[in-house]
Each structure stands twice: as structure tokens, then as C-alpha cells.
Amino acid sequence: MKNSGNNSSRCKIVVDAMGGDFAPTNAVLGAIEAFNEQKSFDLYLVGQENKILEVLDANQISFSNDFIINANQIIEMGDSPASSLKTKPNSSIVIGAQLVRDKKADAFVSAGNTGAMMAASTLIIGRIPGLGRPTIGAEMPNINGICYLYDVGASKDSKPIHLFEYAIMGTIFAKEMGGVSNPKIGVLSMGEEEGKGNEVTEASAKLLQSSKLNFIGSVEGRDILAGNVDVVVCDGYVGNIILKFGESVPKLLKHLLTQTARKSFLDKLLIGISKNALKKSLKSLDYQEYGGVPLLGVNGISIIGHGSSSVRAIKNMVLRANEMHQKQLVQKMTNAISEYSIKN
């Protein structure tokens, strides 16, 4: 990799050019768009060099070969996450993770095999010192802005200490990336009253209650959208169900509007007039605006995107990685985990 000089604040971002259903085209073009928009970071493309060059040539893009890292293997979407790290050591995902591990890069961005990205990030990049489990979150729009939900699928069968760690990292993320000065934290449960949760949620609540975090108690599912809490923690099994349910809402709304428009010409006219306003209102539900989700708790920046990521989604993933580096999120989470450390 080309050395960026003595400017340690300048982020080195590696993008998996072979990751995603529309790779390498979307990955390469999205990464280049992000770089052209800010140019405040060093961009590296990892993948099959000949295919990367084909995309660059086809789009008449000038990009130095010094910033292309050849990786002749591809971890496909259907490959086994764990075994593929061993059977495909020269894949873009493995090499990208190794670069972050070896401190030759600060961030790795991929829309490739989600399981492989999580495994590579955890096993190759490694966890920050003292952390039990990394977590991925979802940014759920609500009436006051955003509610950050952790965990949404990085792991299942979490222990109380893990939910406590999710709350620590979620607090840092909400402060730094969301601008929330003192994030309110809630544990997802069947009710607000003590005793309504299961053993894990009740024990997690006790840990949070005794900490210096801004814990407001147990919350219900409706509180996520109501704007009563900034960070909600739960087991990844539950969180993933909530995430997938939330992702289905825009499609339902579109269907309902279409059905209403078919009932009468007046309804069709009114919906047509308000189409642009509705589109703006639902913009926050579009995953492309966020690009991908950071895997918090690994000793570097790892951002995982949808397999169907568009050029815009890839661009926003790269820009988010740069922002996370500039705000020193990894170091701040490392410090926070050490400060709030609880012996398991």
C-alpha cells in the first residue's frame, strides 16, 4: 500500500471491490464518488485487479494502480462464512481485514458476504481490549430523530454483560455520530415495570442501573418509534426481527397508497400532488442514506453493507467510515469499555 505520509489524521479506507450483487461496478463507482466528494482520505480498492481496471476504463476514471490491491479470490454470497476465511485466504474480504489488523488501513468497507465480513472483522481484525462481543445496530427513525438499536444480528443468546457493552458502545455512537449530548438508554422488555422482562433483560437492567450511563429503565417496542429513548439494547435475535419488520414498512406504505389511488380519481390526484413531500418524509427509511452498518467493538472500522447496495449506498458507507475515523470512535469506545469494565 502507498504510504500517505505523516498525516496520521488522514483515514486510509479499503473498499471491497468484489463485494455485493453488483460488484465490481457499484463498489468501484461508489467508492470513487465518495473520494471525489471529500478527498480527505486515502482510498484503496481491493479485489481482482483486471476487473477493477475494466470498470475504471469503461467509466473513463483515472485512478492510480498504487491504490489497487490485487486479491484473486472472491468469497461468494453463498459461501460458508467461517470456512471461507481459511479456504480463500487471498480473497478481498480476508486481505481487507488483514490490512486493518496490521494498521496499514483504518477502515474496511464491504457489501459482500455479511457472515464472512463479521467473521473476518472479529477473528482477523480482532475485538477491542476487554470487550465480550461486537455488535451491529440499526438507526430507527422516530418522532424526535433517531433511535439506535443494538444488537440487530451480530450474535444471539446474549448475556447481560453483552447488553451492557452494547449500551456503552451505543452511547458513544449516538453522541459522536448522532449529536445526542446525553443519550437515554433503555433495555427492550415486555413492559416498563420491573419483573416484566426475562432473566437476561432484568439482569442487564441492574447492571445499567448501577452504572454512570443515562439509563432510563426498561422500554417497550413502541418506545423505539415514539422517541422516548435514544439507545435501545436487546439480544440480536430479537433485534434482527425488529429490524426486518421495520424494513418492510416502506413497502407496505407504498402498497397502501397505490391501493388508495386506485379507488378514486380524486385520491389519485391528491397522492400525486403530495408525492414529492411523501418521498422526502420517507427518505430516512431508505437504507441507502446510511449505506451500511458499522460492526462496533472491533479494533478498527468495519462497515457492512447490503448485498444489493447501490452506488449511492457504497458512497455513503465510505463517507461514514471516514467520519468515524475523524471522530476517533474506535479509541473512544476502547476507553469507554475500559472505564465501565465489569468482570464477567
Side-chain angles (χ1 to χ4, degrees):
M1 292 180 67
K2 186 178 177 67
N3 195 311
S4 62
N6 295 323
N7 187 2
S8 60
S9 66
R10 189 175 176 88
C11 185
K12 299 185 187 72
I13 302 175
V14 177
V15 174
D16 177 10
M18 315 313 294
D21 300 333
F22 306 105
T25 301
N26 284 10
V28 172
L29 295 183
I32 296 293
E33 277 196 18
F35 180 72
N36 287 337
E37 184 172 308
Q38 292 192 353
K39 293 188 177 179
S40 58
F41 57 90
D42 292 330
L43 173 65
Y44 296 86
L45 300 174
V46 60
Q48 295 180 342
E49 186 173 10
N50 61 325
K51 293 187 177 180
I52 295 172
L53 291 173
E54 284 177 6
V55 175
L56 294 171
D57 291 342
N59 291 274
Q60 298 181 326
I61 297 171
S62 177
F63 191 78
S64 173
N65 282 15
D66 290 336
F67 293 89
I68 297 176
I69 303 160
N70 187 51
N72 56 28
Q73 293 179 311
I74 301 174
I75 296 179
E76 306 288 351
M77 289 299 190
D79 287 347
S80 169
S83 62
S84 60
L85 300 187
K86 296 180 180 179
T87 59
K88 296 185 176 181
N90 294 316
S91 64
S92 53
I93 286 181
V94 171
I95 291 176
Q98 288 173 340
L99 290 170
V100 177
R101 178 198 64 191
D102 298 339
K103 306 303 179 186
K104 294 179 179 178
D106 302 295
F108 182 39
V109 171
S110 176
N113 185 307
T114 300
M117 262 298 284
M118 289 174 57
S121 298
T122 305
L123 300 175
I124 297 176
I125 297 176
R127 296 170 295 179
I128 61 177
L131 183 87
R133 287 186 186 178
T135 181
I136 55 176
E139 298 181 17
M140 310 289 286
N142 61 33
I143 61 175
N144 290 327
I146 296 291
C147 177
Y148 299 89
L149 178 67
Y150 299 95
D151 181 67
V152 296
S155 60
K156 57 183 180 179
D157 300 323
S158 300
K159 297 178 181 178
I161 184 63
H162 300 141
L163 268 67
F164 181 71
E165 291 172 342
Y166 302 160
I168 295 171
M169 292 186 285
T171 294
I172 299 295
F173 195 87
K175 280 183 178 180
E176 300 297 330
M177 302 295 286
V180 184
S181 59
N182 189 24
K184 293 180 289 186
I185 302 165
V187 172
L188 189 63
S189 185
M190 291 177 62
E192 298 176 359
E193 304 85 359
E194 187 176 343
K196 284 289 187 74
N198 56 26
E199 291 182 10
V200 172
T201 57
E202 292 293 301
S204 302
K206 289 181 180 178
L207 287 177
L208 287 162
Q209 189 69 55
S210 62
S211 75
K212 290 185 274 187
L213 295 169
N214 187 16
F215 179 58
I216 65 169
S218 296
V219 296
E220 300 173 348
R222 61 185 175 184
D223 293 308
I224 295 173
L225 301 183
N228 299 326
V229 63
D230 300 304
V231 178
V232 171
V233 295
C234 62
D235 178 68
Y237 180 84
V238 175
N240 190 260
I241 292 173
I242 293 173
L243 173 63
K244 297 297 173 58
F245 177 81
E247 289 177 341
S248 71
V249 172
K251 187 176 290 186
L252 172 63
L253 293 176
K254 184 178 179 180
H255 170 76
L256 293 175
L257 288 170
T258 301
Q259 292 295 100
T260 301
R262 288 174 179 171
K263 291 179 180 179
S264 73
F265 176 76
L266 179 59
D267 287 333
K268 185 176 183 179
L269 182 63
L270 292 172
I271 290 173
I273 293 172
S274 60
K275 183 178 180 180
N276 288 335
L278 288 169
K279 190 174 182 180
K280 289 180 181 178
S281 298
L282 297 176
K283 189 177 181 180
S284 61
L285 298 175
D286 184 0
Y287 80 91
Q288 296 180 101
E289 291 300 310
Y290 307 102
V293 292
L295 181 62
L296 304 182
V298 293
N299 200 19
I301 297 169
S302 170
I303 298 188
I304 305 170
H306 284 257
S308 59
S309 288
S310 64
V311 171
R312 180 160 62 97
I314 298 290
K315 180 191 79 169
N316 286 332
M317 288 167 65
V318 175
L319 294 179
R320 170 166 286 201
N322 188 40
E323 183 182 3
M324 289 177 65
H325 175 77
Q326 296 302 325
K327 293 183 175 178
Q328 301 180 323
L329 252 65
V330 174
Q331 186 59 53
K332 288 175 181 177
M333 288 184 183
T334 301
N335 295 343
I337 289 294
S338 176
E339 178 186 352
Y340 291 104
S341 180
I342 293 178
K343 297 298 181 182
N344 205 342

